[in-house]
Amino acid sequence: MYPDYLAPLLSLVEETRPKRLELAKTGKPVYPPMNAAEREDVLTKHHPDYTAGARRKVRIGPNKGEELTTEVADILEAHSIVEPKVMDIHLREPDYETDLLIIGGGGAGCWAAITARQLGIKSMIATKLRMGDANTMMSEGGMQAAVSATDSPTRHYLDAIGGGHFENNPELVRVLTEDAPDVVRQLENLGVIWDKMPDGSMQVLHGGGTSRKRMVSCRDYIGAIIMRTLMDEVKNHPDMISVREFEPAVELLLDEKGHCGGAVLYSLDTEQFLTVKAKATIIATGGFGRLHIRGFATTNHYGATGDGLVMGYRAGAKLKFMDSVQYHPTGAVFPEQIAGFLITEKIRGAGGQPLNRFGELFVFPREPRDIESSAIIRECARGNGIDTYVGRTGVWLDSPIIDALHGDGYIRHQFPGMCRQFDRYGIDITKQPMLIYPSLHYQNGGIEINERCESNIPGLYVAGEASGGVHGRNRLMGNSVLDYNVFGRRAGRFAAEFAKSATVGKLNLDHIRAHAGELADECIESDLSSPLLLPSYTPEDVKIQQLARLGNIPARHSMLRSRFMPGERKTHL
């Protein structure tokens, strides 16, 4: 329920709706789309990537000297939680051996295991939390795929390249868009029930930056539906796919040839390190939303802390586009309990409109995400936003106009999850708008890969949000769902082919020693250890009390701490 002080502003939305609805029904743009110069202006002046301190040069590693997002540079220059000298026995006698190690139990990881099994390769999925606890599960609106009669993979390709500011890896975009229709068919064969029209054709909607209606969907539960389907398929083959839950990978293992030969896992249950020897390894760890870049709330799941970036980088993998962050234009601002909650772009694709405090449109509703987000931030900076009682600010997203455009009941039919979420707080989005502001959403870059999902380290493959290159410096709606499906399948295929003939030499952690040496050579003083694994929202004074009660028992690598105490030793060579 909105507080009483917002009632006058809500009434302005209702007053301006008839005129806005009349224009929307004509099919013409409800607000003039920006030209290239206008987009560049709002982007460089208002996008968080361009604010002071948003980027800095990383001082060590394969991308040394390049400007990266500051929070990313911080975790890359942090200390490892693994001490190489105490791991020797684990390296000589690994705890597990497998053909293929898949790090991450989301959509990309599951697809990789499913595809590898079809090629006769056994795999192990090591995941930080439970299977399916991933950003895959969090996605709502839909997936892009050129499946309608008026669309084609070529048009999809051009939209994706343009949305990425023409900096995408063209070959990755070609693979993404050409594989899309087959992904739709294969998911349906596995059990995904797509939204369809009465004649049986696929229902498709617009998204920001699309030239054709291309968004296929499962109401607003697409992530949950796909994730459930893929998990079921994984669980159907326990003889070929084993799963280690609550055992995240914390460092990669290399052999004397520099090939990736598995990883060090960390048991969240026992606080013990475990080693896995594997002929091929896939990083499918997802994004970094829980780093809360620039202090933004996030749409990401609890374990999204950029672990794959850290592990890959220390082993020598190159990163791509890690100076770029995507902020979803419509994250919830009110109620406070769901601040940052994703409000799918499908709302705007169906006709929802962003409005300022005066009930006025100020931006075309389907600009590419970075442009739309920047325009919302600019409008609030101009003093035209709506303030909440806890100090957040945002703009309205007029959802009731959708029923006015498509008929009563459309919203509850197409967006049951969104309705249910706001119903819990007494807000009926069929009658009242939502209050929104950009939310940290997606890691545009990642570990650089080719179309075979290969990194520059032999035996190491990357798929999904952890990879970099396909989206350039901005991703269009629905291409992330497509990304983990397309490249999860491809990673499983090419890693399986590699594993059939691969041999693994003597495992080592020499790259961790080298990392510690680089930190010392560059005189980098950091109290941070990484991978972070889990975000900490505990106030510092409470942490001190916890440690005092426990008598400082937690090990240095304990999940209670990601920072060192003053004077505490760092990496042991």
Side-chain angles (χ1 to χ4, degrees):
M1 182 180 297
Y2 286 115
D4 292 340
Y5 74 86
L6 291 178
L9 300 180
L10 287 165
S11 66
L12 291 177
V13 175
E14 295 178 1
E15 289 175 16
T16 62
R17 187 176 295 138
K19 186 175 181 180
R20 291 185 286 106
L21 175 62
E22 183 180 352
L23 178 58
K25 286 183 175 179
T26 66
K28 298 177 181 178
V30 295
Y31 195 88
M34 295 187 201
N35 58 36
E38 291 169 331
R39 287 182 173 183
E40 182 68 15
D41 182 70
V42 72
L43 192 66
T44 55
K45 290 181 179 178
H46 296 280
H47 193 279
D49 280 352
Y50 293 86
T51 58
R55 299 166 177 160
R56 72 168 177 86
K57 288 184 179 180
V58 65
R59 294 169 286 180
I60 60 172
N63 292 76
K64 182 178 179 178
E66 295 182 21
E67 284 203 343
L68 307 182
T69 298
T70 297
E71 291 83 351
V72 172
D74 289 344
I75 62 172
L76 295 181
E77 294 177 355
H79 301 274
S80 175
I81 65 175
V82 174
E83 297 180 5
K85 71 175 185 178
V86 302
M87 293 298 296
D88 286 344
I89 188 170
H90 294 278
L91 299 181
R92 291 195 301 268
E93 301 175 8
D95 296 279
Y96 309 111
E97 289 195 38
T98 184
D99 294 331
L100 173 62
L101 172 63
I102 300 167
I103 305 172
C110 286
W111 257 127
I114 292 166
T115 306
R117 182 203 69 81
Q118 293 168 346
L119 296 173
I121 293 296
K122 290 186 177 182
S123 62
M124 172 186 289
I125 297 175
T127 186
K128 181 186 300 187
L129 301 172
R130 301 167 301 177
M131 279 286 289
D133 285 337
N135 282 345
T136 298
M137 185 68 78
M138 310 296 285
S139 56
E140 298 170 351
M143 179 179 80
Q144 287 204 43
V147 294
S148 71
T150 60
D151 201 4
S152 69
T154 301
R155 291 185 184 278
H156 186 180
Y157 174 94
L158 293 173
D159 287 346
I161 287 282
H165 301 286
F166 302 95
E167 297 183 278
N168 328 48
N169 179 323
E171 190 60 24
L172 295 181
V173 182
R174 181 190 65 79
V175 167
L176 179 80
T177 55
E178 289 184 355
D179 284 8
D182 187 60
V183 164
V184 172
R185 287 188 290 269
Q186 192 168 2
L187 284 171
E188 187 163 33
N189 289 339
L190 287 173
V192 170
I193 301 175
W194 300 110
D195 293 334
K196 295 192 175 182
M197 303 302 288
D199 64 359
S201 62
M202 297 288 290
Q203 174 186 289
V204 288
L205 290 174
H206 266 305
T210 59
S211 61
R212 293 290 186 275
K213 291 183 177 181
R214 186 179 300 129
M215 207 65 54
V216 298
S217 59
C218 307
R219 301 293 191 267
D220 58 352
Y221 292 123
I222 190 168
I225 297 299
I226 291 178
M227 192 71 252
R228 180 204 67 191
T229 303
L230 296 179
M231 284 194 297
D232 284 351
E233 184 64 15
V234 165
K235 292 176 180 179
N236 283 340
H237 304 283
D239 56 323
M240 295 292 288
I241 306 171
S242 62
V243 178
R244 306 295 306 184
E245 294 183 318
F246 300 103
E247 290 184 2
V250 291
E251 295 293 357
L252 296 176
L253 298 174
L254 302 180
D255 67 13
E256 66 273 18
K257 297 178 182 178
H259 294 192
C260 186
V264 177
L265 309 184
Y266 178 81
S267 171
L268 297 180
D269 291 329
T270 65
E271 293 196 341
Q272 292 178 314
F273 290 116
L274 306 163
T275 51
V276 182
K277 183 177 182 179
K279 297 175 181 177
T281 302
I282 298 174
I283 289 178
T285 51
F288 63 6
R290 291 291 167 167
L291 299 183
H292 294 287
I293 311 295
R294 303 289 87 197
F296 273 71
T298 184
T299 63
N300 285 194
H301 83 108
Y302 190 59
T305 50
D307 302 350
L309 299 176
V310 174
M311 291 185 286
Y313 195 72
R314 284 187 186 143
K318 293 201 68 173
L319 305 183
K320 189 79 170 175
F321 299 127
M322 285 311 303
D323 58 348
S324 172
V325 180
Q326 180 166 99
Y327 297 84
H328 196 287
T330 54
V333 172
F334 186 90
E336 178 66 18
Q337 294 93 326
I338 58 170
F341 173 77
L342 175 63
I343 297 172
T344 172
E345 192 166 323
K346 187 180 175 184
I347 290 279
R348 285 176 288 128
Q353 299 177 353
L355 311 173
N356 62 22
R357 66 182 292 114
F358 307 110
E360 300 167 341
L361 275 157
F362 58 90
V363 65
F364 179 62
R366 297 198 310 274
E367 294 283 4
R369 283 182 173 173
D370 54 351
I371 307 301
E372 192 86 10
S373 292
S374 300
I376 292 171
I377 292 171
R378 178 180 64 184
E379 193 69 8
C380 291
R382 289 171 171 171
N384 296 332
I386 299 97
D387 296 328
T388 72
Y389 62 89
V390 297
R392 296 185 188 273
T393 188
V395 297
W396 297 120
L397 181 58
D398 188 11
S399 47
I401 198 171
I402 297 174
D403 269 0
L405 283 167
H406 300 283
D408 289 344
Y410 185 90
I411 296 174
R412 290 204 173 271
H413 178 70
Q414 290 288 335
F415 306 100
M418 198 66 54
C419 290
R420 187 175 296 112
Q421 183 67 269
F422 280 88
D423 283 344
R424 294 167 58 200
Y425 300 100
I427 297 173
D428 182 352
I429 66 171
T430 70
K431 295 182 172 59
Q432 291 182 309
M434 292 172 275
L435 194 55
I436 57 95
Y437 191 79
S439 184
L440 175 58
H441 186 57
Y442 193 77
Q443 176 184 299
N444 285 330
I447 298 173
E448 187 172 6
I449 62 169
N450 59 22
E451 68 275 13
R452 295 168 61 90
C453 298
E454 296 167 324
S455 71
N456 60 300
I457 300 173
L460 180 63
Y461 298 76
V462 190
E465 194 171 349
S467 69
V470 65
H471 303 296
R473 285 190 166 86
N474 180 59
R475 175 181 64 76
L476 297 186
M477 176 202 179
N479 276 347
S480 63
V481 178
L482 180 60
D483 178 353
Y484 71 72
N485 281 286
V486 167
F487 291 101
R489 294 195 315 172
R490 294 179 73 85
R493 171 188 167 190
F494 293 114
E497 290 179 358
F498 181 89
K500 286 181 178 179
S501 59
T503 57
V504 181
K506 184 179 179 181
L507 298 175
N508 67 73
L509 285 167
D510 291 348
H511 57 289
I512 303 304
R513 293 184 174 92
H515 172 78
E518 277 195 276
L519 292 177
D521 291 344
E522 295 294 330
C523 300
I524 295 173
E525 289 291 332
S526 174
D527 65 348
L528 188 66
S529 62
S530 64
L532 299 181
L533 297 185
L534 296 173
S536 176
Y537 298 107
T538 308
E540 287 301 318
D541 59 331
V542 176
K543 289 181 184 178
I544 293 172
Q545 292 172 18
Q546 289 175 336
L547 291 171
R549 285 198 301 271
L550 293 168
N552 285 326
I553 289 174
R556 178 164 65 82
H557 53 265
S558 169
M559 294 305 98
L560 289 176
R561 293 193 283 166
S562 60
R563 293 187 182 273
F564 297 103
M565 303 297 287
E568 189 175 9
R569 287 190 299 171
K570 310 296 194 299
T571 302
H572 295 241
L573 300 178

